[in-house]
Amino acid sequence: MTVMTRPWETPRVSPCPQDFRVVVRIDSWESTSLYPNGHFVRVLGRIGDLEGEIATILVENSISVVPFSEAQMCEMPVNTPENPWKVSPEEEQERKDLRETHLVFSIDPKGCEDVDDTLSVRTLANGNLELGVHIADVTHFVPPNSYIDIEARTRAITYYLADRRYDMLPSILSADLCSLLGSVDRYAVSVIWELDKTSYEIKTVWYGRTIIRSAYKLFYEAAQELLDGNFHIVDDIPEFRDLEEKSKQAKLEELVWAIGKLTEIARHIRAKRDRCGALELEGVEIRVQLDEKKNIHDLIPRQPLEVHKTVAECMILANHWVAKKIWESFPHQALLRQHPPPQQEFFSELRECAKAKGFFIDTRSNKTLADSLDNANDPNDPIVNRLLRSMATQAMSNALYFSTGSCAEEEFHHYGLALDKYTHFTSPIRRYSDIVVHRLLMAAISKDKKMEIKDNLLSNKDLEELCRHINNRNRAAQHSQKQSTELFQCMYFKDKDPENEARCISDGVIYSIRTNGVLVFIPRFGIKGAAYLRNKDGLVISCGSDSRSEWKPGSLQRFQNKITSTTTSGESVTFHLFDHVTVRISVQASRCHSDTIRLEIISNKPYLIPDKDLFQQSSLLLKSDLVKEVTRSVEEAQLAQEVKVNVIQEDYQKYCQTKGRSLYTLLEEIRDLALLDVSNSYGM
């Protein structure tokens, strides 16, 4: 936990600095005292300083970022100019070599270094298609129970923050030998399907270890431009720069065909899942644009592209088929991922909000929910559907890893993806769960070949314990990512004059009504937050003939889908669900907690951008070389429905933090509920 030191608490002999975040250890708490007893452990950094605040986020989420030890690094392979890594002759004999037969390429965020996955598609001699998903063979370099395996298991995941990441594996693996970079030989584990040439139905599937050489390391925007037929982007793809014109044209046609065919196949796969009730949900994902000095230049919501869905569908397909394979081979000790159906009462707000716009949301099954969300479109305001999908996301239960020996087969189902069995296989560089699944898949292949299984598989009991640990670390990763994004949002608006700074005024959409205010979504920055209609002095908001707001004595009256503010002089203004309003964004500083975004409605009318060129410039920033994909899905559903944490690993006992849900976590939840009826109190 982090605390503020007080002058009267400062020891004489080693004074604790003021205005710093520090770690303390609580030793005891007398029943007759308002204050616990404890001692100082270490300083994290100055309040408001980026490094100090990041260190605070890490400690609060029990994330260890110590360097890899000498013993762990001694297990790593070598790849230097003097001693370059090469494919071994033994591996060439045992693996299927795809280097000369398959056009393999990756599509990732710009600047991505840990390339887990690549794709391939080609036409077979019989006219059918062959689709391949090729995943980094991490388990070749990480033997079970080695020093690096134990460390990866402890970390369980790569932690992605807004301006950095903390890797699960050393960079020699994560950014080099296990990263499927362009034009270099790499070991992979592949799933290859033969598809019918017209219906794209799966006819056969093959699993195994391969050797690949990725031809192109594409970024999403470039792949989308090629898919759309905008070939000017070729100049931004390094693999095309030094080619002769004739060769460039031939290779370009080959790549464009492959991307187009992958997209067609992905559409078919998605349509099949849609018929079973797959959900397309909405999360808030923000890209932080940094300048050369690491200062925040802009906050940009991620723009959805069709190639995002293309890659995602191929990965989902691979995860699904691997899940089926390892379960068939090891029905009582396979690691799968389940997503149970949400409780119906969690959908009540979604149904009421949709009703306010004349839509009916049927939540009886994932199929009826998916169809209802598809039909809930306001042609005049696309934000409405995004917000409804976001509400559906928040109602979802957590998706969790589990051992198949711990529950009945009917509980394996993944509600959101509409699949009977699902696992994570496609990201072993950054998820330990995928390493376990790779070992299970290799064991399943050996079992099919009547060969000895080299690795000792985990028992159901041990695997279930490991799943609890990984689920715990996943929640920590989601929390830290969310806190990191919020930190950068605050830093972006901090020290700006909210009265005069253009960036501090934006359009907002009301998506929830509360007793003393509303919740507002700001599409431009992907911010969600509270806007009070009654201030701390008891005054209520009033909007005059010019629509500008001011505070006056009066009262609030809340209805199902609207809230009315009435002044003592008889003036009234009503705010409805999905109304667009003009919002002022500022930062509310705190010495004891993180800074928070403060939203204030300054007009009950939509905000009209005065300079269209400014808006166009903001849109073009998506193509800047400075833009990095530094955050992944916030997964609001996973954060909205926290489950009790019963297992805290011994590695995280250093600061003696409370087992399970800590007092700090409970207080944070109370702060999040500030918009509920709080009588005369006021908090943000």
Side-chain angles (χ1 to χ4, degrees), residues 116 135 138-139 149 152-158 168-169 319 322-323 326 333-338 399-403 422-441 458 463 466-474:
D116 290 283
I135 307 301
V138 173
T139 57
D149 180 56
R153 187 189 314 160
T154 301
R155 298 188 182 205
I157 194 169
T158 291
M168 183 182 76
L169 295 170
N319 288 333
V322 170
I326 62 176
Q333 55 191 125
L335 187 154
L336 300 188
R337 188 163 173 82
Q338 63 184 171
L400 298 169
Y401 298 109
F402 71 101
S403 172
Y422 191 69
T423 192
H424 275 164
F425 157 77
T426 53
S427 294
I429 291 177
R430 59 185 179 88
R431 292 189 304 231
Y432 191 77
S433 57
D434 301 50
I435 289 180
V436 176
V437 169
H438 275 235
R439 290 172 180 157
L440 284 164
L441 179 60
L458 295 173
L463 183 57
L466 177 60
C467 287
R468 283 196 294 268
H469 167 66
I470 296 175
N471 290 333
N472 181 306
R473 292 294 84 212
N474 277 355

Side-chain angles (χ1 to χ4, degrees), residues 219-231:
F219 54 96
Y220 281 120
E221 290 79 9
Q224 186 64 50
E225 293 284 1
L226 293 177
L227 182 63
D228 295 339
N230 301 323
F231 301 141

